[in-house]
Amino acid sequence: MRFLPIIFVSLEMSENDRRLLMVLLVVFVVLLFLAGFIGMLIRYISNKMGDRIVSEIAEPIKYHIIPNEKAALKYAKIKNARLFAKQATPGILTLLGVLVFWVVYSLFTLKGAGFTANHFKIASELMFHFDLVWEKNAVGIYDLMAITLSSTPAFEITHIASYIISIAIILAGTYLLVVAQAYLARGQELRRSIRIAYKRTLDGFNFYDDAAEAAKAEAKDKEQQQ
């Protein structure tokens, strides 16, 4: 009876492997926390923006001043687009300002890097940098041999222009992404609200009775607040 040779490979972790695992764990936790925080922030902004746009078109839809669902959707899209343009303006103006600043700065530094300067790479000196050394082991698997801190955050006053350009682009881009996401969320909420509103029939609907009830409810709320 023949027996195939069995090779036992030791899976014991080296000190460098433990360090790598800890670094990856910390990075994963930080990224998970940031993703959760950003997701909650976007959801909060979207809900607030959705409530705002719905309240702006509520009266014409509630009293059926807009004749049908198609016209209401068209009206809501126009209102949503105008709000998006208003909110996106600061981010767009920031990017335009950065573009003008970049062109002017590049023209003044033509004898140096000029337009070819990598401002994001220059700005990366504000972060920590690590060197990872990998080598193959006996079974052909790469092992992490060493983790060294190659550089710590450093601030150079001569690179201030690169810092401004990079940080402004990142902030403006993030802001525009949030605004765009809020625009899409508002559109979805508007479609849902309008469909629900126009599913109701006008049987027994009386504008004056409904307005009187709304006025009474508002007066009652004021009395309770006092």
Side-chain angles (χ1 to χ4, degrees):
M1 188 175 181
R2 247 178 227 187
F3 295 93
L4 293 175
I6 301 174
I7 301 175
F8 295 96
V9 179
S10 175
L11 298 179
E12 293 181 359
M13 297 180 64
S14 65
E15 185 64 27
N16 288 324
D17 291 334
R18 293 192 187 95
R19 292 178 182 175
L20 175 63
L21 183 61
M22 290 300 297
V23 170
L24 293 177
L25 182 61
V26 170
V27 170
F28 174 76
V29 171
V30 171
L31 290 178
L32 188 63
F33 174 79
L34 288 176
F37 176 76
I38 292 173
M40 291 174 61
L41 181 61
I42 291 175
R43 184 180 180 85
Y44 173 79
I45 293 173
S46 299
N47 290 337
K48 287 295 182 183
M49 295 301 175
D51 293 341
R52 174 181 173 182
I53 196 69
V54 169
S55 65
E56 288 185 3
I57 68 169
E59 294 299 315
I61 291 175
K62 180 179 179 181
Y63 299 117
H64 292 261
I65 297 172
I66 301 176
N68 53 53
E69 181 179 338
K70 184 178 180 180
L73 285 171
K74 183 178 180 180
Y75 174 72
K77 286 179 180 178
I78 293 172
K79 294 285 288 186
N80 194 20
R82 287 177 179 174
L83 182 57
F84 172 73
K86 181 179 179 181
Q87 292 175 340
T89 298
I92 295 173
L93 290 178
T94 300
L95 291 178
L96 289 175
V98 171
L99 177 61
V100 173
F101 179 76
W102 172 72
V103 171
V104 173
Y105 176 77
S106 299
L107 289 173
F108 276 98
T109 57
L110 285 176
K111 292 182 179 180
F115 288 96
T116 62
N118 188 341
H119 296 288
F120 286 99
K121 183 177 181 181
I122 296 172
S124 68
E125 66 190 20
L126 297 174
M127 300 183 294
F128 289 96
H129 292 269
F130 296 90
D131 285 335
L132 306 179
V133 179
W134 297 86
E135 289 185 7
K136 279 187 178 180
N137 56 22
V139 294
I141 300 175
Y142 279 96
D143 281 340
L144 180 66
M145 305 305 295
I147 302 176
T148 57
L149 180 64
S150 58
S151 63
T152 57
F155 180 85
E156 295 288 341
I157 192 63
T158 55
H159 296 163
I160 189 67
S162 296
Y163 302 157
I164 293 174
I165 292 171
S166 302
I167 294 174
I169 291 175
I170 292 172
L171 292 179
T174 303
Y175 172 78
L176 289 175
L177 284 175
V178 173
V179 169
Q181 196 274 339
Y183 167 77
L184 296 175
R186 286 196 304 268
Q188 185 177 0
E189 179 64 21
L190 284 169
R191 286 190 294 271
R192 185 187 68 82
S193 301
I194 290 172
R195 289 194 183 106
I196 292 174
Y198 280 90
K199 278 181 181 178
R200 301 172 182 173
T201 65
L202 293 178
D203 295 338
F205 177 78
N206 187 298
F207 172 84
Y208 300 102
D209 290 344
D210 196 67
E213 290 178 4
K216 289 179 181 178
E218 185 177 356
K220 188 177 180 180
D221 290 339
K222 289 182 179 179
E223 289 179 0
Q224 291 177 352
Q225 290 177 0
Q226 291 175 356

